[in-house]
Amino acid sequence: MESSNLNLLKDLANEVYFAVHPLLGVKKASEIVGSGFCGDKTSLIDVIAEKAVIRYLRQNEITCVFFGEENGIKKIGKKPDFYIIVDAVDGTTNSLRGIKFVSASLAISKTKCFDSLESSVVINLYDGSIYEAERGKGAYYRNKRIHTSNIQELQESIISIDISGVPERVESVIPIMKKSKYIRSLGSAALEICHVASGKIEAYVDIRNKLRTVDIAAGMLILKEAGGTVLQLDGKEFIDNLLVSKKRFSIITAANNYIYNQVISSIPLP
Amino acid sequence: MESSNLNLLKDLANEVYFAVHPLLGVKKASEIVGSGFCGDKTSLIDVIAEKAVIRYLRQNEITCVFFGEENGIKKIGKKPDFYIIVDAVDGTTNSLRGIKFVSASLAISKTKCFDSLESSVVINLYDGSIYEAERGKGAYYRNKRIHTSNIQELQESIISIDISGVPERVESVIPIMKKSKYIRSLGSAALEICHVASGKIEAYVDIRNKLRTVDIAAGMLILKEAGGTVLQLDGKEFIDNLLVSKKRFSIITAANNYIYNQVISSIPLP
């Protein structure tokens, strides 16, 4: 059952890839066509990507509750088998500008809660490479098992921080920027969390309270299965939260508890 | 004559691409094998990349003065026709970790000064796509003419900042981070300058006084030919500086003078 869900997610990811890849960096894709379920502006590329997912689910008679950035909640079929949580373009700004760091994020959960996440896939929309995980079965990138970095010191670490659009919080990340060896800011939360999962970076930090469940659900399962740590800014797990929700989050994702503790202790209390 | 130089740079860029692409993200490529001309640690991947350039120049009997990150100055042939300035792997940390933002930077100059730059190429080492320019003939990406962004306000801009490894200067970039719409930090100066040239971002800012001539020479010509602004932190042009030098630089590259002025006026005097 799990494997067929994972295969479904990979099929959906490839649908998005083929729909969206030709539009990356193309001007007309940036046309604003409305606003999404969570209130963010919707670009044409977002609509096309999410449509590709919903069309595939309908055509293949997959009975589920779909939850996406643009369309919100959609019940597909009569007796839904599971929830499917989708951000069909994660890193829309990058995709519109032609910055080659964009992903689609897809997760399946048995219930509407974070603690029931079963399978997830994050696909790099530039090259089609896939990060994937099933609960209890490890995480994989391009079909190879992945693990988080074993670096334990910030001074040796690459830390990615998203601080765009919240000038009042910039000061809060200065200590992390000063203590870390390398700072990155890449522009796609789902893909950055997968970079932590695969040992490419040691942490991804977003304290803006802007992330939605669709941005982080898939990456979180992949990161946990790769051995990483993911917590909210107050140190709480995500398990009690609803996946199908407009709630916004801050997130600290780290390769291990050593890095997590150094990151969290560097952030001044609000 | 110019065109044959540009073709030479493209051939060299492709040599590097084929030598290095299979090593991206591969562990053995990160082995430290010495230190380069400017004192930075040299990884195996840097050596292999630069060797590919020198081998091609020798095999094809290109008479020139080679200046590279690892080997420093090498006279090839008896009567050098020009200087060739090479950073064969720009973004070494990204390349070793598998972060897909890495380039090679190659420029040809008639003299050893910045003001004699004639042709340049920056190649994305993940997908082989090429940015190129010849003096007075415009800049191109994937054979299409490119121009910088016409956005004139920081509040609407994507600004990429490299602040890694200089904790004492982090405070200096806070005002830019607060005023800009989106912040990125991508990890390859040459490629980021080309992102400014092609309108993907509005500015690339590095005030660490760490950049070497090999990192910036090629990108600078491409940016200028695309209509952009490139100056040192004190507002000076680079024309009086030597290309063949161990000198380190800070750099502000911007889509236009409006963005440049907003960036420079946001940086407190040291």
Side-chain angles (χ1 to χ4, degrees), chain A residues 96-131:
Chain A
L96 301 178
R97 289 298 198 93
I99 302 170
K100 296 180 176 175
F101 198 91
V102 185
S103 62
S105 165
L106 306 106
I108 283 177
S109 174
K110 278 189 183 162
T111 76
K112 58 175 81 170
C113 285
F114 267 95
D115 63 350
S116 303
L117 283 167
E118 288 292 330
S119 332
S120 60
V121 161
V122 172
I123 185 169
N124 178 327
L125 291 178
Y126 266 95
D127 64 12
S129 60
I130 283 179
Y131 296 86

PDB file of all heavy atoms in Angstrom, chain A residues 96-131:
ATOM      1  N   LEU A  96       9.925  32.125 -11.650  1.00  0.00           N
ATOM      2  CA  LEU A  96       9.551  33.205 -12.566  1.00  0.00           C
ATOM      3  C   LEU A  96      10.773  33.957 -13.069  1.00  0.00           C
ATOM      4  O   LEU A  96      10.800  34.455 -14.189  1.00  0.00           O
ATOM      5  CB  LEU A  96       8.589  34.173 -11.874  1.00  0.00           C
ATOM      6  CG  LEU A  96       7.293  33.541 -11.369  1.00  0.00           C
ATOM      7  CD1 LEU A  96       6.431  34.569 -10.653  1.00  0.00           C
ATOM      8  CD2 LEU A  96       6.523  32.898 -12.508  1.00  0.00           C
ATOM      9  N   ARG A  97      11.818  34.026 -12.227  1.00  0.00           N
ATOM     10  CA  ARG A  97      13.016  34.766 -12.607  1.00  0.00           C
ATOM     11  C   ARG A  97      14.045  33.906 -13.346  1.00  0.00           C
ATOM     12  O   ARG A  97      15.022  34.414 -13.867  1.00  0.00           O
ATOM     13  CB  ARG A  97      13.671  35.344 -11.347  1.00  0.00           C
ATOM     14  CG  ARG A  97      12.879  36.492 -10.710  1.00  0.00           C
ATOM     15  CD  ARG A  97      12.753  37.680 -11.675  1.00  0.00           C
ATOM     16  NE  ARG A  97      12.386  38.891 -10.975  1.00  0.00           N
ATOM     17  CZ  ARG A  97      13.256  39.784 -10.500  1.00  0.00           C
ATOM     18  NH1 ARG A  97      14.555  39.619 -10.670  1.00  0.00           N
ATOM     19  NH2 ARG A  97      12.829  40.851  -9.873  1.00  0.00           N
ATOM     20  N   GLY A  98      13.853  32.597 -13.323  1.00  0.00           N
ATOM     21  CA  GLY A  98      14.843  31.733 -13.959  1.00  0.00           C
ATOM     22  C   GLY A  98      16.020  31.374 -13.063  1.00  0.00           C
ATOM     23  O   GLY A  98      17.072  30.957 -13.551  1.00  0.00           O
ATOM     24  N   ILE A  99      15.833  31.542 -11.747  1.00  0.00           N
ATOM     25  CA  ILE A  99      16.851  31.072 -10.799  1.00  0.00           C
ATOM     26  C   ILE A  99      16.606  29.571 -10.590  1.00  0.00           C
ATOM     27  O   ILE A  99      15.505  29.173 -10.212  1.00  0.00           O
ATOM     28  CB  ILE A  99      16.759  31.838  -9.462  1.00  0.00           C
ATOM     29  CG1 ILE A  99      16.938  33.339  -9.707  1.00  0.00           C
ATOM     30  CG2 ILE A  99      17.796  31.311  -8.465  1.00  0.00           C
ATOM     31  CD1 ILE A  99      16.636  34.213  -8.487  1.00  0.00           C
ATOM     32  N   LYS A 100      17.639  28.758 -10.860  1.00  0.00           N
ATOM     33  CA  LYS A 100      17.403  27.318 -11.020  1.00  0.00           C
ATOM     34  C   LYS A 100      17.342  26.553  -9.705  1.00  0.00           C
ATOM     35  O   LYS A 100      18.109  25.607  -9.478  1.00  0.00           O
ATOM     36  CB  LYS A 100      18.472  26.741 -11.954  1.00  0.00           C
ATOM     37  CG  LYS A 100      18.366  27.339 -13.344  1.00  0.00           C
ATOM     38  CD  LYS A 100      19.393  26.789 -14.291  1.00  0.00           C
ATOM     39  CE  LYS A 100      19.142  27.378 -15.689  1.00  0.00           C
ATOM     40  NZ  LYS A 100      20.191  26.980 -16.636  1.00  0.00           N
ATOM     41  N   PHE A 101      16.426  26.961  -8.846  1.00  0.00           N
ATOM     42  CA  PHE A 101      16.247  26.281  -7.562  1.00  0.00           C
ATOM     43  C   PHE A 101      14.755  26.331  -7.234  1.00  0.00           C
ATOM     44  O   PHE A 101      14.277  27.262  -6.591  1.00  0.00           O
ATOM     45  CB  PHE A 101      17.099  26.976  -6.495  1.00  0.00           C
ATOM     46  CG  PHE A 101      17.330  26.139  -5.269  1.00  0.00           C
ATOM     47  CD1 PHE A 101      18.432  25.302  -5.178  1.00  0.00           C
ATOM     48  CD2 PHE A 101      16.431  26.166  -4.210  1.00  0.00           C
ATOM     49  CE1 PHE A 101      18.651  24.520  -4.056  1.00  0.00           C
ATOM     50  CE2 PHE A 101      16.631  25.388  -3.086  1.00  0.00           C
ATOM     51  CZ  PHE A 101      17.748  24.565  -2.999  1.00  0.00           C
ATOM     52  N   VAL A 102      14.036  25.356  -7.724  1.00  0.00           N
ATOM     53  CA  VAL A 102      12.576  25.316  -7.641  1.00  0.00           C
ATOM     54  C   VAL A 102      12.159  23.856  -7.474  1.00  0.00           C
ATOM     55  O   VAL A 102      12.797  22.964  -8.037  1.00  0.00           O
ATOM     56  CB  VAL A 102      11.929  25.859  -8.945  1.00  0.00           C
ATOM     57  CG1 VAL A 102      10.416  25.938  -8.803  1.00  0.00           C
ATOM     58  CG2 VAL A 102      12.501  27.201  -9.347  1.00  0.00           C
ATOM     59  N   SER A 103      11.083  23.621  -6.708  1.00  0.00           N
ATOM     60  CA  SER A 103      10.649  22.241  -6.509  1.00  0.00           C
ATOM     61  C   SER A 103       9.134  22.143  -6.489  1.00  0.00           C
ATOM     62  O   SER A 103       8.420  23.138  -6.440  1.00  0.00           O
ATOM     63  CB  SER A 103      11.221  21.706  -5.196  1.00  0.00           C
ATOM     64  OG  SER A 103      10.725  22.463  -4.100  1.00  0.00           O
ATOM     65  N   ALA A 104       8.658  20.900  -6.533  1.00  0.00           N
ATOM     66  CA  ALA A 104       7.267  20.608  -6.186  1.00  0.00           C
ATOM     67  C   ALA A 104       7.306  19.681  -4.981  1.00  0.00           C
ATOM     68  O   ALA A 104       8.195  18.829  -4.869  1.00  0.00           O
ATOM     69  CB  ALA A 104       6.544  19.935  -7.341  1.00  0.00           C
ATOM     70  N   SER A 105       6.354  19.871  -4.079  1.00  0.00           N
ATOM     71  CA  SER A 105       6.348  19.163  -2.799  1.00  0.00           C
ATOM     72  C   SER A 105       5.028  18.416  -2.666  1.00  0.00           C
ATOM     73  O   SER A 105       3.964  19.036  -2.742  1.00  0.00           O
ATOM     74  CB  SER A 105       6.516  20.235  -1.703  1.00  0.00           C
ATOM     75  OG  SER A 105       6.180  19.735  -0.438  1.00  0.00           O
ATOM     76  N   LEU A 106       5.081  17.084  -2.483  1.00  0.00           N
ATOM     77  CA  LEU A 106       3.855  16.281  -2.442  1.00  0.00           C
ATOM     78  C   LEU A 106       3.932  15.257  -1.315  1.00  0.00           C
ATOM     79  O   LEU A 106       4.929  14.531  -1.208  1.00  0.00           O
ATOM     80  CB  LEU A 106       3.650  15.538  -3.768  1.00  0.00           C
ATOM     81  CG  LEU A 106       3.667  16.388  -5.043  1.00  0.00           C
ATOM     82  CD1 LEU A 106       4.971  16.182  -5.809  1.00  0.00           C
ATOM     83  CD2 LEU A 106       2.482  16.040  -5.942  1.00  0.00           C
ATOM     84  N   ALA A 107       2.875  15.189  -0.492  1.00  0.00           N
ATOM     85  CA  ALA A 107       2.885  14.234   0.621  1.00  0.00           C
ATOM     86  C   ALA A 107       1.527  13.572   0.756  1.00  0.00           C
ATOM     87  O   ALA A 107       0.491  14.173   0.447  1.00  0.00           O
ATOM     88  CB  ALA A 107       3.247  14.954   1.915  1.00  0.00           C
ATOM     89  N   ILE A 108       1.544  12.343   1.238  1.00  0.00           N
ATOM     90  CA  ILE A 108       0.299  11.616   1.513  1.00  0.00           C
ATOM     91  C   ILE A 108       0.228  11.324   3.009  1.00  0.00           C
ATOM     92  O   ILE A 108       1.215  10.896   3.617  1.00  0.00           O
ATOM     93  CB  ILE A 108       0.226  10.314   0.678  1.00  0.00           C
ATOM     94  CG1 ILE A 108      -0.159  10.663  -0.767  1.00  0.00           C
ATOM     95  CG2 ILE A 108      -0.765   9.320   1.287  1.00  0.00           C
ATOM     96  CD1 ILE A 108      -0.198   9.476  -1.712  1.00  0.00           C
ATOM     97  N   SER A 109      -0.961  11.554   3.562  1.00  0.00           N
ATOM     98  CA  SER A 109      -1.174  11.292   4.983  1.00  0.00           C
ATOM     99  C   SER A 109      -2.487  10.532   5.156  1.00  0.00           C
ATOM    100  O   SER A 109      -3.443  10.758   4.413  1.00  0.00           O
ATOM    101  CB  SER A 109      -1.235  12.619   5.741  1.00  0.00           C
ATOM    102  OG  SER A 109      -1.573  12.401   7.098  1.00  0.00           O
ATOM    103  N   LYS A 110      -2.519   9.612   6.142  1.00  0.00           N
ATOM    104  CA  LYS A 110      -3.763   8.853   6.374  1.00  0.00           C
ATOM    105  C   LYS A 110      -4.829   9.712   7.024  1.00  0.00           C
ATOM    106  O   LYS A 110      -6.008   9.471   6.864  1.00  0.00           O
ATOM    107  CB  LYS A 110      -3.464   7.652   7.267  1.00  0.00           C
ATOM    108  CG  LYS A 110      -2.899   6.478   6.500  1.00  0.00           C
ATOM    109  CD  LYS A 110      -2.832   5.240   7.375  1.00  0.00           C
ATOM    110  CE  LYS A 110      -2.188   4.093   6.608  1.00  0.00           C
ATOM    111  NZ  LYS A 110      -1.714   3.043   7.495  1.00  0.00           N
ATOM    112  N   THR A 111      -4.391  10.688   7.826  1.00  0.00           N
ATOM    113  CA  THR A 111      -5.348  11.585   8.471  1.00  0.00           C
ATOM    114  C   THR A 111      -4.959  13.019   8.130  1.00  0.00           C
ATOM    115  O   THR A 111      -3.992  13.258   7.407  1.00  0.00           O
ATOM    116  CB  THR A 111      -5.338  11.442  10.006  1.00  0.00           C
ATOM    117  OG1 THR A 111      -4.171  12.098  10.530  1.00  0.00           O
ATOM    118  CG2 THR A 111      -5.313   9.968  10.423  1.00  0.00           C
ATOM    119  N   LYS A 112      -5.693  13.962   8.701  1.00  0.00           N
ATOM    120  CA  LYS A 112      -5.379  15.353   8.411  1.00  0.00           C
ATOM    121  C   LYS A 112      -4.305  15.922   9.332  1.00  0.00           C
ATOM    122  O   LYS A 112      -4.071  17.125   9.348  1.00  0.00           O
ATOM    123  CB  LYS A 112      -6.650  16.208   8.451  1.00  0.00           C
ATOM    124  CG  LYS A 112      -7.416  16.179   9.751  1.00  0.00           C
ATOM    125  CD  LYS A 112      -8.595  17.151   9.722  1.00  0.00           C
ATOM    126  CE  LYS A 112      -9.788  16.547   8.985  1.00  0.00           C
ATOM    127  NZ  LYS A 112     -11.005  17.375   9.153  1.00  0.00           N
ATOM    128  N   CYS A 113      -3.616  15.042  10.105  1.00  0.00           N
ATOM    129  CA  CYS A 113      -2.588  15.508  11.044  1.00  0.00           C
ATOM    130  C   CYS A 113      -1.170  15.212  10.556  1.00  0.00           C
ATOM    131  O   CYS A 113      -0.933  14.236   9.850  1.00  0.00           O
ATOM    132  CB  CYS A 113      -2.779  14.844  12.405  1.00  0.00           C
ATOM    133  SG  CYS A 113      -4.165  15.559  13.296  1.00  0.00           S
ATOM    134  N   PHE A 114      -0.239  16.060  10.994  1.00  0.00           N
ATOM    135  CA  PHE A 114       1.171  15.880  10.646  1.00  0.00           C
ATOM    136  C   PHE A 114       1.707  14.500  11.049  1.00  0.00           C
ATOM    137  O   PHE A 114       2.541  13.936  10.366  1.00  0.00           O
ATOM    138  CB  PHE A 114       2.021  16.959  11.340  1.00  0.00           C
ATOM    139  CG  PHE A 114       2.265  18.176  10.499  1.00  0.00           C
ATOM    140  CD1 PHE A 114       1.453  19.293  10.607  1.00  0.00           C
ATOM    141  CD2 PHE A 114       3.308  18.200   9.583  1.00  0.00           C
ATOM    142  CE1 PHE A 114       1.678  20.419   9.832  1.00  0.00           C
ATOM    143  CE2 PHE A 114       3.548  19.321   8.806  1.00  0.00           C
ATOM    144  CZ  PHE A 114       2.721  20.444   8.928  1.00  0.00           C
ATOM    145  N   ASP A 115       1.209  13.955  12.169  1.00  0.00           N
ATOM    146  CA  ASP A 115       1.796  12.701  12.656  1.00  0.00           C
ATOM    147  C   ASP A 115       1.373  11.493  11.836  1.00  0.00           C
ATOM    148  O   ASP A 115       1.824  10.386  12.097  1.00  0.00           O
ATOM    149  CB  ASP A 115       1.494  12.489  14.147  1.00  0.00           C
ATOM    150  CG  ASP A 115       0.012  12.349  14.411  1.00  0.00           C
ATOM    151  OD1 ASP A 115      -0.786  12.610  13.482  1.00  0.00           O
ATOM    152  OD2 ASP A 115      -0.357  11.991  15.541  1.00  0.00           O
ATOM    153  N   SER A 116       0.527  11.695  10.836  1.00  0.00           N
ATOM    154  CA  SER A 116       0.104  10.570   9.998  1.00  0.00           C
ATOM    155  C   SER A 116       0.711  10.607   8.601  1.00  0.00           C
ATOM    156  O   SER A 116       0.265   9.877   7.712  1.00  0.00           O
ATOM    157  CB  SER A 116      -1.419  10.559   9.876  1.00  0.00           C
ATOM    158  OG  SER A 116      -2.021  10.503  11.144  1.00  0.00           O
ATOM    159  N   LEU A 117       1.713  11.457   8.401  1.00  0.00           N
ATOM    160  CA  LEU A 117       2.372  11.507   7.091  1.00  0.00           C
ATOM    161  C   LEU A 117       2.960  10.137   6.769  1.00  0.00           C
ATOM    162  O   LEU A 117       3.658   9.530   7.592  1.00  0.00           O
ATOM    163  CB  LEU A 117       3.490  12.556   7.091  1.00  0.00           C
ATOM    164  CG  LEU A 117       3.049  14.021   6.987  1.00  0.00           C
ATOM    165  CD1 LEU A 117       4.212  14.955   7.316  1.00  0.00           C
ATOM    166  CD2 LEU A 117       2.498  14.322   5.597  1.00  0.00           C
ATOM    167  N   GLU A 118       2.684   9.642   5.573  1.00  0.00           N
ATOM    168  CA  GLU A 118       3.076   8.280   5.205  1.00  0.00           C
ATOM    169  C   GLU A 118       4.172   8.247   4.143  1.00  0.00           C
ATOM    170  O   GLU A 118       5.099   7.461   4.213  1.00  0.00           O
ATOM    171  CB  GLU A 118       1.856   7.535   4.643  1.00  0.00           C
ATOM    172  CG  GLU A 118       0.810   7.166   5.673  1.00  0.00           C
ATOM    173  CD  GLU A 118       1.305   6.115   6.632  1.00  0.00           C
ATOM    174  OE1 GLU A 118       2.140   5.289   6.223  1.00  0.00           O
ATOM    175  OE2 GLU A 118       0.880   6.124   7.806  1.00  0.00           O
ATOM    176  N   SER A 119       4.000   9.083   3.123  1.00  0.00           N
ATOM    177  CA  SER A 119       4.936   9.058   1.985  1.00  0.00           C
ATOM    178  C   SER A 119       5.117  10.479   1.490  1.00  0.00           C
ATOM    179  O   SER A 119       4.182  11.273   1.556  1.00  0.00           O
ATOM    180  CB  SER A 119       4.385   8.252   0.806  1.00  0.00           C
ATOM    181  OG  SER A 119       3.502   7.253   1.213  1.00  0.00           O
ATOM    182  N   SER A 120       6.306  10.757   0.992  1.00  0.00           N
ATOM    183  CA  SER A 120       6.452  12.071   0.374  1.00  0.00           C
ATOM    184  C   SER A 120       7.518  12.112  -0.698  1.00  0.00           C
ATOM    185  O   SER A 120       8.448  11.295  -0.716  1.00  0.00           O
ATOM    186  CB  SER A 120       6.657  13.166   1.419  1.00  0.00           C
ATOM    187  OG  SER A 120       7.788  12.939   2.177  1.00  0.00           O
ATOM    188  N   VAL A 121       7.340  13.077  -1.576  1.00  0.00           N
ATOM    189  CA  VAL A 121       8.242  13.282  -2.714  1.00  0.00           C
ATOM    190  C   VAL A 121       8.467  14.786  -2.879  1.00  0.00           C
ATOM    191  O   VAL A 121       7.518  15.568  -2.805  1.00  0.00           O
ATOM    192  CB  VAL A 121       7.630  12.700  -4.011  1.00  0.00           C
ATOM    193  CG1 VAL A 121       8.302  13.300  -5.244  1.00  0.00           C
ATOM    194  CG2 VAL A 121       7.750  11.186  -4.039  1.00  0.00           C
ATOM    195  N   VAL A 122       9.725  15.176  -3.063  1.00  0.00           N
ATOM    196  CA  VAL A 122      10.054  16.536  -3.490  1.00  0.00           C
ATOM    197  C   VAL A 122      10.858  16.399  -4.778  1.00  0.00           C
ATOM    198  O   VAL A 122      11.855  15.679  -4.815  1.00  0.00           O
ATOM    199  CB  VAL A 122      10.866  17.304  -2.418  1.00  0.00           C
ATOM    200  CG1 VAL A 122      11.356  18.643  -2.964  1.00  0.00           C
ATOM    201  CG2 VAL A 122      10.017  17.531  -1.165  1.00  0.00           C
ATOM    202  N   ILE A 123      10.392  17.049  -5.835  1.00  0.00           N
ATOM    203  CA  ILE A 123      11.080  16.962  -7.128  1.00  0.00           C
ATOM    204  C   ILE A 123      11.699  18.309  -7.474  1.00  0.00           C
ATOM    205  O   ILE A 123      11.075  19.358  -7.294  1.00  0.00           O
ATOM    206  CB  ILE A 123      10.113  16.495  -8.249  1.00  0.00           C
ATOM    207  CG1 ILE A 123      10.869  16.276  -9.577  1.00  0.00           C
ATOM    208  CG2 ILE A 123       8.950  17.464  -8.443  1.00  0.00           C
ATOM    209  CD1 ILE A 123      10.056  15.561 -10.652  1.00  0.00           C
ATOM    210  N   ASN A 124      12.952  18.276  -7.905  1.00  0.00           N
ATOM    211  CA  ASN A 124      13.631  19.460  -8.420  1.00  0.00           C
ATOM    212  C   ASN A 124      13.064  19.737  -9.815  1.00  0.00           C
ATOM    213  O   ASN A 124      13.194  18.902 -10.715  1.00  0.00           O
ATOM    214  CB  ASN A 124      15.143  19.163  -8.482  1.00  0.00           C
ATOM    215  CG  ASN A 124      15.967  20.295  -9.044  1.00  0.00           C
ATOM    216  OD1 ASN A 124      15.520  21.036  -9.918  1.00  0.00           O
ATOM    217  ND2 ASN A 124      17.185  20.437  -8.557  1.00  0.00           N
ATOM    218  N   LEU A 125      12.402  20.873  -9.980  1.00  0.00           N
ATOM    219  CA  LEU A 125      11.715  21.124 -11.252  1.00  0.00           C
ATOM    220  C   LEU A 125      12.657  21.580 -12.362  1.00  0.00           C
ATOM    221  O   LEU A 125      12.225  21.762 -13.498  1.00  0.00           O
ATOM    222  CB  LEU A 125      10.583  22.137 -11.055  1.00  0.00           C
ATOM    223  CG  LEU A 125       9.393  21.613 -10.231  1.00  0.00           C
ATOM    224  CD1 LEU A 125       8.339  22.703 -10.036  1.00  0.00           C
ATOM    225  CD2 LEU A 125       8.756  20.384 -10.874  1.00  0.00           C
ATOM    226  N   TYR A 126      13.935  21.746 -12.063  1.00  0.00           N
ATOM    227  CA  TYR A 126      14.878  22.037 -13.156  1.00  0.00           C
ATOM    228  C   TYR A 126      15.418  20.772 -13.799  1.00  0.00           C
ATOM    229  O   TYR A 126      15.507  20.689 -15.018  1.00  0.00           O
ATOM    230  CB  TYR A 126      16.012  22.957 -12.698  1.00  0.00           C
ATOM    231  CG  TYR A 126      15.658  24.383 -13.013  1.00  0.00           C
ATOM    232  CD1 TYR A 126      15.064  25.185 -12.054  1.00  0.00           C
ATOM    233  CD2 TYR A 126      15.835  24.906 -14.288  1.00  0.00           C
ATOM    234  CE1 TYR A 126      14.674  26.483 -12.360  1.00  0.00           C
ATOM    235  CE2 TYR A 126      15.453  26.197 -14.597  1.00  0.00           C
ATOM    236  CZ  TYR A 126      14.876  26.981 -13.635  1.00  0.00           C
ATOM    237  OH  TYR A 126      14.487  28.246 -13.953  1.00  0.00           O
ATOM    238  N   ASP A 127      15.757  19.787 -12.953  1.00  0.00           N
ATOM    239  CA  ASP A 127      16.365  18.594 -13.566  1.00  0.00           C
ATOM    240  C   ASP A 127      15.565  17.322 -13.338  1.00  0.00           C
ATOM    241  O   ASP A 127      15.987  16.245 -13.771  1.00  0.00           O
ATOM    242  CB  ASP A 127      17.820  18.439 -13.108  1.00  0.00           C
ATOM    243  CG  ASP A 127      17.943  18.197 -11.611  1.00  0.00           C
ATOM    244  OD1 ASP A 127      16.922  17.931 -10.945  1.00  0.00           O
ATOM    245  OD2 ASP A 127      19.078  18.261 -11.100  1.00  0.00           O
ATOM    246  N   GLY A 128      14.426  17.429 -12.655  1.00  0.00           N
ATOM    247  CA  GLY A 128      13.578  16.250 -12.486  1.00  0.00           C
ATOM    248  C   GLY A 128      14.064  15.259 -11.441  1.00  0.00           C
ATOM    249  O   GLY A 128      13.461  14.186 -11.272  1.00  0.00           O
ATOM    250  N   SER A 129      15.142  15.575 -10.734  1.00  0.00           N
ATOM    251  CA  SER A 129      15.645  14.638  -9.719  1.00  0.00           C
ATOM    252  C   SER A 129      14.708  14.617  -8.510  1.00  0.00           C
ATOM    253  O   SER A 129      14.118  15.638  -8.155  1.00  0.00           O
ATOM    254  CB  SER A 129      17.072  15.003  -9.303  1.00  0.00           C
ATOM    255  OG  SER A 129      17.119  16.303  -8.772  1.00  0.00           O
ATOM    256  N   ILE A 130      14.568  13.441  -7.891  1.00  0.00           N
ATOM    257  CA  ILE A 130      13.534  13.234  -6.870  1.00  0.00           C
ATOM    258  C   ILE A 130      14.115  12.820  -5.514  1.00  0.00           C
ATOM    259  O   ILE A 130      14.963  11.919  -5.435  1.00  0.00           O
ATOM    260  CB  ILE A 130      12.524  12.171  -7.372  1.00  0.00           C
ATOM    261  CG1 ILE A 130      11.580  12.808  -8.394  1.00  0.00           C
ATOM    262  CG2 ILE A 130      11.726  11.547  -6.226  1.00  0.00           C
ATOM    263  CD1 ILE A 130      10.549  11.875  -8.988  1.00  0.00           C
ATOM    264  N   TYR A 131      13.676  13.509  -4.469  1.00  0.00           N
ATOM    265  CA  TYR A 131      13.856  13.095  -3.073  1.00  0.00           C
ATOM    266  C   TYR A 131      12.569  12.399  -2.648  1.00  0.00           C
ATOM    267  O   TYR A 131      11.478  12.892  -2.946  1.00  0.00           O
ATOM    268  CB  TYR A 131      14.069  14.313  -2.173  1.00  0.00           C
ATOM    269  CG  TYR A 131      15.317  15.111  -2.446  1.00  0.00           C
ATOM    270  CD1 TYR A 131      15.321  16.109  -3.422  1.00  0.00           C
ATOM    271  CD2 TYR A 131      16.490  14.880  -1.724  1.00  0.00           C
ATOM    272  CE1 TYR A 131      16.465  16.855  -3.681  1.00  0.00           C
ATOM    273  CE2 TYR A 131      17.636  15.630  -1.977  1.00  0.00           C
ATOM    274  CZ  TYR A 131      17.615  16.606  -2.948  1.00  0.00           C
ATOM    275  OH  TYR A 131      18.748  17.345  -3.196  1.00  0.00           O
TER     276      TYR A 131
END
